[in-house]
Amino acid sequence: MLATAAAVTAVVSVSSIGQAAEFDGVTIEAKLIGGQQYEALYARIPEWEAATGAKVNIISKKNHFELDKEFKSDIAAGTTDWCVGSNHSSFASQYSALYTDLGDLVSKDTVAEFVQANIKAATFDGKLVMLPRAQFDVSALYYQKDLYEDAEKAAAFEDKYGYPLAVPETWAQVKDQAIFFADPPNFYGTQYAGKDEAIVGRYYEMVVAEGGKLFNDDFSPAFNSEEGKRALQWFVDLYDAGAVPAGTTNYLWDDLGNGFASGTIGLNLDWPGWAGFFNDPSASKVAGNVGVAPAPKGSAGVRTGWSGFHGFSVTEDCENKEAAASLVDFLTNEDSQKLESAAGPLPSRTAVWDYVSEQAKGDPYRSEVLAAFKETAATAFAVPPTPLWVETTNIIYPELQAAILGDKTVDEALADAQDSVDELMQEEGVY
């Protein structure tokens, strides 16, 4: 996605605020994603309120998995007259009837300022359903640098595994090192998100890195394969070895971020939004000791690169779509994206990507972060383009958990998951 940025010329959007008191007396109800890396942007909302005369009432703030359940409940109950919702490229295809076409509410010049690959991915059946915020997601490998600076540790590792200890370039090396570094319950070699779409996304990218695929072209399940089995075995082996925390099957993104920042995790595949937090001495015990490398590769020589991006949408039932779109425009404008990008997240506006790259030149850590994520992003891939993506992940993740916890074998778990996904696809008339 980032490679397309150079083709777009950006200008500062002034339409996000509009004319003074343009929406005087209007209240916009919003349902937004919450969490450490998302909160700083919301501090700008009072600026928009002061400029437009409108007010924003955040009526829900949850992670996307919980928001997804809430949105679906609202759709079923017909209670979708709130106005602005957080959205994500992995979830957006499910909400075609919930959200309105922003192409009718935001100027073409403004839309042209975004990385166009993101705009394309935010468009369904000709409708632009969200504007991307500065939260382009692909994961790179964070690690504690001093693990690789101990000569005695390096000698012991090479003696045991037969190759030099260095920042891992493959997932096989990550497994070796994670097991070697682990000293439970005080220290763990690595960790992973272990439930909901999070574990399925991680599994999906490992399957790709092993040379396989999650679905065939007709969306029939393809993961019960040798590649799929090798991918799941990687998670199982780390859990069996005690190289990951025992609670990892209940972890989501905030658990991982806070875990690495606690200093008890050696290697951590994670999103760019955590980069600033990890290196902040007031928040992180590993500040000053954080290295960042491109995502490792699987046995097929393919780098993991499950990717997506966050954004904001406006509901069809919103009473004042113009005001809601103005807020969305404001939360994704250049100033907003500069604010978010300063903490590590990757922008989705061309001019802001250029700005962030220039700002990083005098900051060795930030330069390392950008280089690692840029290399990983070059081969990034989105979730399979089906509106049943989240529903299939809800079927797959309990089976992955069962294998990790030892309740089923890898073969049993994947066979059961494949049968259930196949049944869903046939029931939905996919094939």
Side-chain angles (χ1 to χ4, degrees):
M1 292 182 180
L2 297 174
T4 67
V8 184
T9 301
V11 294
V12 176
S13 171
V14 296
S15 63
S16 9
I17 296 182
Q19 300 176 0
E22 182 180 3
F23 304 116
D24 192 28
V26 172
T27 296
I28 297 297
E29 291 188 329
K31 296 192 173 189
L32 305 179
I33 187 171
Q36 180 273 333
Q37 62 182 320
Y38 309 111
E39 296 292 338
L41 176 62
Y42 306 149
R44 292 204 73 208
I45 290 176
E47 297 178 42
W48 180 81
E49 291 176 324
T52 64
K55 295 294 181 184
V56 177
N57 181 19
I58 300 175
I59 58 176
S60 185
K61 190 185 286 185
K62 302 175 180 177
N63 67 47
H64 254 310
F65 305 110
E66 295 303 317
L67 284 178
D68 178 58
K69 296 172 185 175
E70 188 169 321
F71 293 163
K72 289 173 180 173
S73 177
D74 287 344
I75 292 170
T79 54
T80 55
D81 55 347
W82 47 272
C83 284
V84 172
S86 286
N87 207 342
H88 191 282
S89 56
S90 291
F91 292 83
S93 62
Q94 304 174 102
Y95 310 135
S96 58
L98 174 61
Y99 292 128
T100 197
D101 186 357
L102 290 171
D104 295 333
L105 298 165
V106 179
S107 74
K108 291 181 180 179
D109 288 343
T110 295
V111 174
E113 295 165 5
F114 291 86
V115 174
Q116 292 303 290
N118 288 353
I119 293 298
K120 181 178 179 181
T123 303
F124 297 90
D125 298 325
K127 289 173 57 177
L128 176 61
V129 299
M130 67 171 163
L131 285 187
R133 64 190 288 183
Q135 291 283 351
F136 169 68
D137 281 341
V138 68
S139 295
L141 189 69
Y142 296 92
Y143 60 92
Q144 294 197 39
K145 292 191 292 186
D146 60 7
L147 294 173
Y148 300 92
E149 297 168 354
D150 185 325
E152 185 176 338
K153 192 183 296 289
F157 179 87
E158 187 166 4
D159 183 61
K160 182 175 182 178
Y161 290 97
Y163 64 91
L165 177 63
V167 177
E169 297 181 356
T170 70
W171 285 109
Q173 292 170 355
V174 169
K175 184 170 77 171
D176 289 346
Q177 294 181 21
I179 293 171
F180 177 77
F181 292 142
D183 181 24
N186 303 309
F187 192 85
Y188 296 93
T190 190
Q191 58 184 350
Y192 47 78
K195 66 177 184 178
D196 295 334
E197 188 225 18
I199 181 63
V200 181
R202 288 291 184 233
Y203 172 69
Y204 161 53
E205 63 182 343
M206 289 293 285
V207 173
V208 172
E210 289 297 308
K213 52 188 177 181
L214 209 65
F215 297 110
N216 294 309
D217 292 343
D218 64 353
F219 292 108
S220 58
F223 51 81
N224 187 19
S225 62
E226 290 307 310
E227 297 87 355
K229 292 173 184 178
R230 288 198 303 269
L232 180 52
Q233 192 66 51
W234 183 88
F235 294 90
V236 173
D237 289 348
L238 285 168
Y239 190 87
D240 286 347
V244 298
T248 198
T249 50
N250 290 313
Y251 283 8
L252 291 174
W253 308 125
D254 280 0
D255 303 298
L256 301 185
N258 290 322
F260 185 72
S262 75
T264 61
I265 305 294
L267 299 156
N268 182 47
L269 185 72
D270 221 325
W271 310 108
W274 289 101
F277 182 80
F278 289 154
N279 212 39
D280 178 359
S282 69
S284 171
K285 292 182 178 179
V286 295
N289 188 36
V290 183
V292 192
K297 297 177 180 179
S299 64
V302 178
R303 199 182 302 284
T304 52
W306 167 41
S307 70
F309 58 90
H310 293 256
F312 298 102
S313 300
V314 174
T315 64
E316 286 282 13
D317 292 339
C318 175
E319 186 176 345
N320 196 319
K321 293 185 179 65
E322 291 75 14
S326 172
L327 175 61
V328 168
D329 193 356
F330 176 79
L331 291 174
T332 60
N333 70 13
E334 283 197 22
D335 287 341
S336 291
Q337 295 218 359
K338 286 177 181 178
L339 172 67
E340 289 208 274
S341 296
L346 302 181
S348 56
R349 280 176 171 265
T350 307
V352 181
W353 178 255
D354 294 341
Y355 169 84
V356 169
S357 299
E358 185 64 28
Q359 293 293 306
K361 288 182 178 179
D363 184 337
Y365 174 71
R366 184 66 174 136
S367 295
E368 181 181 357
V369 168
L370 287 173
F373 279 101
K374 186 174 184 179
E375 183 170 342
T376 302
T379 53
F381 44 88
V383 302
T386 168
L388 296 174
W389 164 248
V390 172
E391 196 165 350
T392 60
T393 67
N394 288 336
I395 291 172
I396 297 169
Y397 91 77
E399 300 296 343
L400 301 182
Q401 287 182 328
I404 291 167
L405 295 172
D407 296 330
K408 293 184 179 182
T409 67
V410 165
D411 287 2
E412 289 169 344
L414 292 183
D416 289 347
Q418 176 161 299
D419 287 346
S420 296
V421 171
D422 179 64
E423 182 179 352
L424 169 69
M425 293 298 188
Q426 292 194 50
E427 287 178 352
E428 295 293 329
V430 176
Y431 51 81

